[in-house]
Amino acid sequence: MRVSGFFSAEKKYVNVIFLHFFLTFFMPALIGGGAKRVRSSFCAGPAGRESPGKQVILEMLLQMICTKLYNVAMKYQIELTNGSLYRNILLFSIPLMITNLLQVLFNMADVIVAGRFAGKLALASVGSTSMLIFLFTGFLIGLGSGINVLSAFFLGSRNQKLLDETVQTSFWFSILWGCIFFASGFLLAKPVLILMQTRAELLENAVLYFRIYMFAVPAAAVYNFGSGILTSGGDTKRPLIILSCAGVLNVILNLFFVIVLKLSVAGVALATVISQYVSAVLVISVLKKGIVFQKNGDKIPDRKTRFSENAGTDENISGEQTEFCGKIRLNPAQFYLSRDIFFKLMKLGIPAGFQNAVFYVANIFIQTGVNHFDAAVVAGCAASHNAESITFDCMAAFYTAGASFVGQNFGAQKKDRILKSYLISTGYAAAVSLIFGGLFLAFGREFIGLFNSNAEVIEGGYTRLVIMALSMWISAPMDATTSASRGLGKTAVPSVIIILGSCVFRIFWIYTIFKHFMTIKSLFLLFPVSWGITAMAEVIYFIKIYRKCC
């Protein structure tokens, strides 16, 4: 029996989705001051009496997980302003690479389970929404990078007061934007997918999948906040552990919902929603416990420092030789917003998020071009896109490292380490792209076969994969330079360059070159061309601001 309304799905899907709607908006209460009341309700026995056994078990499990994460992280904090940059950037980035890979595996698990156990049309339906999902998540990642840069700067400049304000304000800042994106994505899902010319046989399931997936966005915003705060101080181990727990849960739930409960694309999306909330709860629990990033033997700068023209207020810092302890602790039950920090986050995070989103706005037009081909090609391109995501997310670890190292060393006024951090992170990212590109050239067909064994699907996806595997290294100087500029507090001009080079140019290409040839090759060749043009402009701008700021 069908029901009218937003979903056009079975009633049981609607009930499950609105349960997660409830959890979304009551998440702060679950984590903060209202946790005790929620636990008491959950653990209630007959006639409303609390069951001590259940409550004790829940509290012991949470305490054990948080304590383990804390102890592990204290052993793996990386020093950003001292030591070998080659070694420290690599050690900093490896856990981030694995973390980013796990985030890709969230989506890969969705696509693999949909393609293998729900059929070719389910795979194509999930794939049709990929660019739209990345549009929202890319914006959230940009917001998280702004949080990372600001907290890294205050750690480097040894300003405890502004560090505390940054942690508390950025938490609510992230929740605010997560809820905004959830509401807009949920309401606009169907008209946007129709505008993208999603095929009629895929539209219903694509809308259902996307709307359920949107319930994960507030949780993703909170996780990116926590990850940004932790990595700003050199702690990349704990985000890895947290996402590993959520990733394992995601795979298990995917199989259970699709194979056992036969929920098809709805089950695939629901598994991701639950696992994202697990990661959000864990990262907040860790930050509630608190962490100290200790810097020994560093001389605090003896002059007034300015974070940036876009995002800073001058801070006077004494020149005494001292030991600095940057303590980070979150109180999620306390609603606190610093006006100055909020606007700094807006000036850093919004352009960075918009910059990420612009890539996916252009890619939505590319997906529209892909949708002109048959369902097998659409499914093959959806599978191939996961290979690109693996590569780009591993490269992104070095961009995060570059922004963090540049930001802290800029705050500590160590000019020589700023330029070296940028160059080393760029080289590492390019090397990673060449390694993965070679692997996917050699084993691309087998990789796509993991998602669907249909020969037409494999060949359609491999055509795209060859082009991308040979050219992904070109994107390294573009993205690494943008991240380094962000570390210096500059986001507006790099965002404009991205808009022109990676959005306007790509749309122009689609309506000229692709429109003329109408082949997969003519469509995907726009990537290396746009990367090269944008990289040159970004490098020229970075050289200019480096000379001015340093």
Side-chain angles (χ1 to χ4, degrees):
M1 176 179 172
R2 297 284 177 181
V3 295
S4 59
F6 286 126
F7 291 103
S8 299
E10 300 292 334
K11 280 187 176 180
K12 58 185 178 182
Y13 297 164
V14 178
N15 292 337
V16 170
I17 292 167
F18 276 96
L19 171 63
H20 286 278
F21 179 84
F22 175 85
L23 291 176
T24 299
F25 290 98
F26 281 85
M27 181 178 62
L30 287 172
I31 299 168
K36 183 175 180 180
R37 292 190 298 273
V38 174
R39 276 200 313 270
S40 298
S41 174
F42 177 78
C43 300
R49 292 191 301 272
E50 191 172 307
S51 172
K54 289 184 180 179
Q55 181 173 351
V56 169
I57 291 172
L58 285 174
E59 291 179 347
M60 287 179 61
L61 286 174
L62 184 59
Q63 181 69 22
M64 182 174 62
I65 292 172
C66 294
T67 302
K68 179 63 177 176
L69 290 173
Y70 179 82
N71 292 336
V72 169
M74 291 302 293
K75 300 177 182 178
Y76 290 93
Q77 291 174 18
I78 306 297
E79 180 61 63
L80 276 66
T81 56
N82 291 297
S84 168
L85 284 171
Y86 286 99
R87 177 181 179 274
N88 287 352
I89 289 177
L90 184 61
L91 292 178
F92 182 98
S93 301
I94 287 175
L96 278 179
M97 289 175 62
I98 301 173
T99 301
N100 290 345
L101 281 174
L102 287 173
Q103 288 182 314
V104 175
L105 289 176
F106 273 7
N107 292 325
M108 280 186 59
D110 290 355
V111 177
I112 290 174
V113 172
R116 283 289 184 177
F117 300 105
K120 182 172 69 176
L121 290 180
L123 171 62
S125 297
V126 172
S128 296
T129 68
S130 60
M131 293 302 173
L132 199 53
I133 286 173
F134 290 137
L135 171 65
F136 286 92
T137 57
F139 203 105
L140 292 178
I141 291 171
L143 294 179
S145 70
I147 294 169
N148 172 271
V149 167
L150 195 60
S151 57
F153 177 81
F154 291 138
L155 277 168
S157 59
R158 317 299 192 252
N159 195 317
Q160 185 64 51
K161 178 179 181 294
L162 292 182
L163 179 62
D164 294 339
E165 292 181 0
T166 298
V167 172
Q168 200 66 31
T169 301
S170 58
F171 171 66
W172 293 102
F173 177 82
S174 300
I175 289 180
L176 171 65
W177 281 102
C179 291
I180 290 173
F181 291 148
F182 157 74
S184 58
F186 185 88
L187 294 173
L188 298 175
K190 188 169 184 177
V192 171
L193 286 168
I194 291 174
L195 188 64
M196 290 172 61
Q197 301 180 23
T198 304
R199 300 181 69 86
E201 66 268 27
L202 308 178
L203 182 62
E204 181 179 351
N205 278 336
V207 171
L208 176 62
Y209 175 81
F210 183 74
R211 281 180 169 156
I212 299 174
Y213 194 101
M214 281 294 98
F215 285 91
V217 170
V222 170
Y223 172 78
N224 284 325
F225 145 76
S227 178
I229 292 293
L230 292 172
T231 56
S232 70
D235 178 6
T236 56
K237 189 74 175 180
R238 260 187 299 197
L240 169 59
I241 297 173
I242 290 170
L243 208 61
S244 297
C245 297
V248 171
L249 178 64
N250 184 60
V251 173
I252 294 172
L253 291 178
N254 259 317
L255 296 172
F256 176 73
F257 287 145
V258 175
I259 299 175
V260 179
L261 299 185
K262 307 295 183 183
L263 294 182
S264 188
V265 295
V268 167
L270 187 56
T272 300
V273 171
I274 295 172
S275 60
Q276 287 283 14
Y277 276 96
V278 168
S279 66
V281 170
L282 287 176
V283 79
I284 290 179
S285 299
V286 168
L287 289 175
K288 280 181 64 180
K289 187 176 180 69
I291 182 171
V292 175
F293 295 106
Q294 187 167 343
K295 312 288 184 182
N296 294 319
D298 277 354
K299 184 177 180 181
I300 294 180
D302 59 358
R303 63 177 176 85
K304 181 183 287 187
T305 60
R306 174 180 287 275
F307 178 62
S308 75
E309 294 178 1
N310 290 338
T313 301
D314 290 345
E315 296 293 337
N316 291 310
I317 304 173
S318 67
E320 300 178 6
Q321 185 76 22
T322 186
E323 179 179 87
F324 170 77
C325 287
K327 184 176 182 180
I328 291 178
R329 185 177 181 274
L330 172 69
N331 182 5
Q334 177 187 1
F335 181 79
Y336 175 83
L337 287 176
S338 164
R339 180 178 178 181
D340 289 341
I341 295 298
F342 186 87
F343 283 107
K344 287 176 183 179
L345 290 172
M346 291 284 287
K347 290 177 181 179
L348 279 173
I350 297 301
F354 186 69
Q355 175 184 305
N356 286 347
V358 161
F359 278 106
Y360 297 112
V361 169
N363 289 346
I364 287 174
F365 284 89
I366 296 171
Q367 183 64 46
T368 302
V370 173
N371 290 342
H372 282 91
F373 299 95
D374 60 32
V377 173
V378 174
C381 286
S384 173
H385 182 263
N386 288 280
E388 302 157 28
S389 296
I390 289 173
T391 307
F392 287 134
D393 279 24
C394 287
M395 296 168 70
F398 294 103
Y399 308 147
T400 301
S404 297
F405 275 75
V406 168
Q408 271 213 30
N409 285 288
F410 182 40
Q413 302 171 25
K414 296 188 175 183
K415 178 180 177 180
D416 58 327
R417 293 178 68 88
I418 293 174
L419 184 59
K420 289 179 182 178
S421 297
Y422 159 61
L423 295 175
I424 292 170
S425 60
T426 303
Y428 278 141
V432 166
S433 69
L434 291 172
I435 292 170
F436 276 99
L439 290 173
F440 286 125
L441 279 176
F443 304 104
R445 288 187 175 87
E446 290 78 7
F447 178 84
I448 297 171
L450 293 173
F451 300 88
N452 194 279
S453 57
N454 184 284
E456 294 180 353
V457 170
I458 291 174
E459 288 305 312
Y462 189 68
T463 300
R464 168 179 176 162
L465 188 56
V466 168
I467 296 172
M468 302 301 287
L470 290 172
S471 60
M472 287 184 289
W473 64 271
I474 302 174
S475 68
M478 177 187 72
D479 290 324
T481 307
T482 304
S483 296
S485 298
R486 190 180 304 132
L488 294 177
K490 305 295 184 180
T491 55
V493 174
S495 296
V496 172
I497 295 173
I498 291 292
I499 292 171
L500 296 176
S502 295
C503 184
V504 175
F505 177 81
R506 290 180 182 180
I507 294 172
F508 170 78
W509 180 287
I510 290 169
Y511 286 102
T512 55
I513 305 298
F514 173 66
K515 186 177 180 180
H516 176 74
F517 292 99
M518 291 299 291
T519 64
I520 287 292
K521 291 181 180 179
S522 67
L523 179 61
F524 287 104
L525 280 173
L526 67 82
F527 281 103
V529 177
S530 65
W531 288 333
I533 293 172
T534 308
M536 287 189 290
E538 293 283 6
V539 169
I540 292 171
Y541 177 72
F542 176 77
I543 293 172
K544 179 181 177 181
I545 63 170
Y546 173 76
R547 290 174 176 173
K548 182 178 179 180
C549 294
C550 303

